[in-house]
Amino acid sequence: MITLIKNGRIIDPRNKIDFVGAVLIENGKIKSVVEGDISGDFDEVIDASDMVVSPGFIDMHVHLREPGYEYKETIASGLAAAAAGGFAAVCPMPNTNPITDNEEIVSSLLAKAAQANGVKLYPIAAATKGSKGEALTSIGALKAVGAVAISDDGHPVKNSGLLRRVMEYASSFNFTYISHAEDQDLVGDGQMNEGDHSTLFGMPGVASVSESVVIARECLLAEYLGVSVHIAHVSKEPSVALIRFFKSRGVKVTAETTPHYLTLTDEALGSYDTNTKINPPIGSQKDREALIAAVADGVIDVVATDHAPHHEREKNVEFYAAPPGIVGLETAVALLLRHYHSGVLSLKRVVELLTKGYEILSIDGGDLSVGSSADITIFDPDYQWTIDRNMFLSKGRNTPFHGFQVKGAVFRTVVDGKSLYVRKY
Amino acid sequence: MKHLLGIEHLNRDQIEQILETAESFEEINRRQVKKVPTLKGKTIINFFAEPSTRTKMSFEVAEKRLSADTYNISVSTSAIQKGETLADTALNLQAMQPDALIIRHAVAGTPHLLADVMDCAIINAGDGFHEHPTQALLDAFTIKRHKGRLDGLKIVLIGDITHSRVARSNIHLLTKLGSRVVVSGPATMIPPGITAMGAEVEPDPIKAVVDADVLMTLRIQNERASNLLFPNAREYARFYSLRQELLNYAKPDAIVMHPGPANRGVEIEDSLMDGGRSVVLEQVSNGVSVRMAVLYLLLGGTQL
Ligand SMILES: [Zn+2]
């Protein structure tokens, strides 16, 4: 099987490629990448005129809800949504039921993914047994069956002594601890970012430093131990400043933020729409501006979605009773491209932000090198459309972006040379 | 105006119209026969998902004096969370085809979510820490009856501003009508952004009350001590209660207000609560007139 993708603008930051050219795929691998055209006989020719041809995107932070919450999302529906969003690979977080803290669950996730559409699944295992923050998981064994990192996402490790051992032990297996940074005591019964808007809307606030104090601890431990740490879904300005500081000290800290933190501010909570309830809570305009600057200048390494599907009836309740989180796989690229259109991000930087996860997690992929798997995302950065949650392939409809007019759409997601998603409109 | 969800989005004219209408009902409430047929045939549901005696009774009296048919639903918030979704609750309430729904709820924004999906008029009787519009209206009505105006008055609110919907609605209303609102209390009870809402902050209650026209204190909830907002009632009373010492710094004709129910000896001393400057009981009776005015204006009853 030989496929040619031609006439597209090929952007492969790792190989320093940015030209209009052609990608030749043979038997699922990249055969060659050239400027201009390639002639010959092909089984399939894909015209990517006016489109960007990029290494397949990776979303290193999703919740696919299996096992235990299949009514919210399944591996199959989640991977379908991933393909529609341009993601060739995703990393599901372990806050399933039961918690993904053993080899059997990791293996069963991979088995289910093998039956799905072909998007690659790289499970993240729990850092502590049951994510209870009491005992280490068998990190070596988890790695042996295919887990790629550890995290107690949603249940941050409180005990600093235990966390030190987690990070230290994980480093023996070249594993990175991914921190959901929130001090639960500071969060208390908070529902939204504390500030002018929480006061105006009469909702219990969450101090922005609830996130930052934990980030400071994780970075200090990483520095002291000489190990790496990754900070999930950074949402506040003091956190950005801390990460900048620790990077300048040479600490091996990487960080992600999400399209929603780059798009919304806590003013949106005035609708009392439970689809604006997210942990950590959406920040102020100042927080948002700091995050935009940080994705541009590299302090934030990667954009992940924190895709968190919930059933409609779970969100259709009083604000305090609603579970936090929104879906993100099918809106991420369009929302991120708003910052390309505003002139803050180059297309190269957009591609970097959506592919850097491979490097952080030491996974093959994220470039178009000859001989590597043909995982490719083709998107039109200028295509105008309106986000319609009823079109989502995810089971989740919980988005605050329904009806948003956006520019930029994924037209094709290719994994191992096969087109898993082709936009029909 | 279809609903009364809060004071924030009302303008000065709308507020003044409610206060003027309340004046006419105040006159009715002084008559021998206090009942008028204004809302005959209208159905009103009082939906209180949080304990309340005072506000609920005030609404009920107002509804009955206007001859409306009233129904009470009391549920604990926990029952709602366990059982039906808010959408189901709305559909069930809608099925009774009410003309108005009075709602008290522990979660901010719940009246707003119901207003999005229900056809009837929604009146917010208190949502979380957010708003309690009829309380602010009755407070303004009471102040105006004593001072003849709201413009240019200095009004001091002492207590837990962070967790008070009464404070928020009062700040919106009084500043819209030209009063100067100063809030005071321990730093744990003063929320960020309260100045953006138009209030001034003076942490020291003695400085705050200098030349005040109105002293208003807010109910202290003892469970807040377990949230570490203050050490204990005794310490709170010593520094933040409304007491004679504070009243001495206010204007000689300053009035004392409390939205009730009061913890005597904690946020207000007996001598002030029961003293000649207290208008606490007038607040209660004015509450009926103001709520009659709101119901009348929203439900468009027959002419007075
Ligand atoms: Zn998380």
Side-chain angles (χ1 to χ4, degrees):
Chain A
M1 174 83 182
I2 299 175
T3 303
L4 182 73
I5 302 172
K6 63 174 195 177
N7 299 334
R9 177 174 165 191
I10 303 169
I11 300 180
D12 175 3
R14 260 202 244 172
N15 286 316
K16 300 194 165 49
I17 290 173
D18 186 350
F19 52 60
V20 174
V23 179
L24 189 65
I25 301 167
E26 194 176 303
N27 299 327
K29 305 278 185 203
I30 291 176
K31 183 90 184 291
S32 63
V33 177
V34 299
E35 196 164 0
D37 209 351
I38 298 175
S39 53
D41 264 351
F42 314 106
D43 300 303
E44 184 187 23
V45 175
I46 297 164
D47 185 4
S49 299
D50 303 322
M51 306 249 180
V52 173
V53 177
S54 155
F57 299 150
I58 182 169
D59 186 347
M60 64 180 291
H61 192 142
V62 299
H63 299 272
L64 299 188
R65 305 304 190 197
E66 209 176 332
Y69 306 105
E70 288 81 358
Y71 65 95
K72 299 180 196 242
E73 190 82 289
T74 60
I75 299 282
S77 64
L79 294 186
F87 295 99
V90 296
C91 304
M93 283 292 174
N95 61 337
T96 48
N97 186 20
I99 297 280
T100 305
D101 65 356
N102 61 59
E103 304 97 276
E104 288 72 29
I105 299 179
V106 171
S107 299
S108 82
L109 293 178
L110 290 167
K112 288 204 166 113
Q115 302 298 310
N117 62 350
V119 168
K120 292 173 178 171
L121 189 86
Y122 296 104
I124 293 165
T128 68
K129 276 269 165 209
S131 287
K132 289 197 176 104
E134 291 163 3
L136 304 192
T137 49
S138 307
I139 293 171
L142 289 163
K143 180 174 184 176
V145 294
V148 296
I150 47 162
S151 177
D152 279 352
D153 189 49
H155 312 273
V157 178
K158 187 171 173 174
N159 179 331
S160 303
L162 176 73
L163 181 63
R164 174 221 166 120
R165 296 306 181 198
V166 166
M167 290 170 68
E168 215 166 19
Y169 185 74
S171 71
S172 314
F173 297 92
N174 194 26
F175 250 34
T176 296
Y177 171 69
I178 299 176
S179 171
H180 171 129
E182 275 193 303
D183 181 320
Q184 298 297 340
D185 297 317
L186 271 172
V187 170
D189 60 1
Q191 296 289 325
M192 66 173 285
N193 183 47
E194 186 166 75
D196 291 4
H197 289 116
S198 65
T199 294
L200 184 61
F201 305 149
M203 286 213 264
V206 176
S208 63
V209 294
S210 307
E211 172 183 87
S212 316
V213 294
V214 176
I215 293 176
R217 178 190 68 169
E218 321 303 54
C219 289
L220 286 166
L221 281 172
E223 176 171 41
Y224 178 72
L225 300 168
V227 306
S228 60
V229 67
H230 178 76
I231 311 296
H233 43 56
V234 174
S235 65
K236 303 290 162 7
E237 183 278 334
S239 306
V240 171
L242 279 171
I243 294 163
R244 189 184 303 276
F245 169 75
F246 282 103
K247 281 193 167 183
S248 76
R249 285 170 71 89
V251 177
K252 289 183 272 181
V253 53
T254 52
E256 79 196 24
T257 191
T258 68
H260 42 273
Y261 297 135
L262 295 170
T263 308
L264 298 175
T265 70
D266 54 11
E267 196 174 0
L269 281 285
S271 63
Y272 298 101
D273 178 356
T274 53
N275 290 323
T276 59
K277 182 172 175 176
I278 299 162
N279 282 352
I282 297 165
S284 64
Q285 177 63 13
K286 183 179 161 207
D287 294 320
R288 178 174 169 265
E289 282 167 11
L291 290 166
I292 293 170
V295 292
D297 70 18
V299 165
I300 301 255
D301 301 270
V302 58
V303 166
T305 65
D306 194 8
H307 177 79
H310 290 293
H311 196 280
E312 186 119 22
R313 70 170 175 269
E314 294 173 301
K315 280 285 196 182
N316 213 337
V317 296
E318 299 84 349
F319 198 91
Y320 304 177
I326 59 171
V327 290
L329 282 166
E330 293 165 84
T331 52
V333 172
L335 292 174
L336 184 58
L337 282 167
R338 288 160 71 102
H339 302 291
Y340 156 68
H341 292 293
S342 72
V344 176
L345 301 177
S346 64
L347 282 174
K348 170 173 169 266
R349 184 65 191 145
V350 168
V351 169
E352 273 174 358
L353 287 164
L354 292 166
T355 54
K356 185 82 170 182
Y358 292 103
E359 208 176 305
I360 292 169
L361 298 169
S362 308
I363 300 169
D364 284 341
D367 59 37
L368 300 173
S369 300
V370 171
S372 62
S373 299
D375 299 348
I376 294 166
T377 302
I378 302 175
F379 65 99
D380 178 348
D382 297 312
Y383 185 83
Q384 298 197 32
W385 59 294
T386 303
I387 293 173
D388 179 357
R389 63 181 175 188
N390 299 312
M391 301 292 285
F392 289 167
L393 299 184
S394 167
K395 284 192 179 185
R397 298 285 179 270
N398 48 311
T399 178
F401 301 114
H402 180 66
F404 265 50
Q405 307 246 337
V406 286
K407 251 171 106 178
V410 171
F411 272 76
R412 189 178 289 257
T413 307
V414 178
V415 178
D416 292 325
K418 286 195 281 289
S419 291
L420 305 187
Y421 170 80
V422 180
R423 194 180 174 100
K424 306 245 164 41
Y425 54 99
Chain B
M1 197 164 54
K2 181 172 185 220
H3 307 294
L4 180 64
L5 298 176
I7 302 294
E8 186 192 352
H9 299 293
L10 295 185
N11 59 39
R12 188 176 178 133
D13 287 348
Q14 290 170 309
I15 294 166
E16 280 173 346
Q17 188 194 9
I18 296 169
L19 296 180
E20 278 157 27
T21 310
E23 286 289 351
S24 350
F25 284 108
E26 174 65 18
E27 187 268 314
I28 290 169
N29 284 329
R30 282 199 302 268
R31 292 182 196 162
Q32 202 82 41
V33 177
K34 299 176 177 65
K35 198 161 171 145
V36 290
T38 313
L39 294 186
K40 208 170 171 57
K42 302 273 186 190
T43 300
I44 300 175
I45 299 177
N46 298 305
F47 178 58
F48 278 69
E50 199 188 47
S52 156
T53 35
R54 195 170 292 227
T55 303
K56 190 173 157 198
M57 192 193 291
S58 180
F59 268 109
E60 274 187 66
V61 171
E63 291 154 9
K64 295 211 160 96
R65 284 192 185 163
L66 292 169
S67 305
D69 298 321
T70 69
Y71 301 90
N72 293 327
I73 302 173
S74 298
V75 277
S76 72
T77 306
S78 61
I80 297 176
Q81 287 177 8
K82 265 186 250 134
E84 54 194 19
T85 64
L86 192 61
D88 288 334
T89 306
L91 286 175
N92 281 314
L93 292 168
Q94 186 70 60
M96 296 179 230
Q97 294 177 296
D99 296 288
L101 176 75
I102 318 299
I103 175 172
R104 156 73 59 95
H105 203 287
V107 176
T110 304
H112 307 67
L113 297 180
L114 287 179
D116 285 343
V117 293
M118 290 182 64
D119 298 332
C120 66
I122 308 278
I123 298 174
N124 181 359
D127 66 321
F129 318 143
H130 181 220
E131 284 233 37
H132 191 353
T134 56
Q135 177 71 42
L137 286 161
L138 77 87
D139 287 341
F141 184 81
T142 306
I143 295 168
K144 209 172 167 193
R145 283 180 76 85
H146 278 269
K147 302 290 170 195
R149 66 193 164 104
L150 288 162
D151 249 319
L153 296 182
K154 179 179 180 184
I155 297 169
V156 181
L157 270 65
I158 300 176
D160 185 359
I161 309 298
T162 302
H163 299 96
S164 176
R165 52 191 170 220
V166 174
R168 283 177 179 75
S169 288
N170 263 308
I171 291 167
H172 284 308
L173 194 157
L174 295 168
T175 53
K176 279 177 203 277
L177 267 66
S179 303
R180 195 183 146 203
V181 179
V182 179
V183 299
S184 188
T188 46
M189 294 180 174
I190 307 292
I194 200 74
T195 50
M197 281 177 62
E200 298 165 43
V201 176
E202 172 47 64
D204 181 349
I206 290 178
K207 288 184 188 153
V209 299
V210 170
D211 293 332
D213 297 284
V214 177
L215 304 186
M216 194 186 295
T217 185
L218 300 165
R219 180 179 162 78
I220 281 296
Q221 287 170 301
N222 266 315
E223 60 267 26
R224 300 274 174 227
S226 61
N227 291 344
L228 311 175
L229 292 184
F230 64 102
N232 54 57
R234 193 189 160 108
E235 163 118 349
Y236 186 86
R238 180 173 165 193
F239 295 99
Y240 298 103
S241 70
L242 262 193
R243 53 196 189 275
Q244 188 59 45
E245 182 196 5
L246 286 190
L247 194 58
N248 292 343
Y249 289 92
K251 282 199 185 145
D253 61 346
I255 55 171
V256 171
M257 303 178 77
H258 190 302
N263 296 299
R264 289 165 175 265
V266 183
E267 72 266 7
I268 186 164
E269 292 298 323
D270 282 338
S271 60
L272 266 72
M273 182 85 181
D274 304 326
R277 309 278 197 84
S278 169
V279 298
V280 173
L281 291 175
E282 282 175 55
Q283 286 176 271
V284 177
S285 58
N286 290 339
V288 175
S289 306
V290 163
R291 290 178 176 117
M292 287 169 84
V294 168
L295 288 166
Y296 168 76
L297 290 170
L298 287 183
L299 296 186
T302 55
Q303 284 304 306
L304 284 176

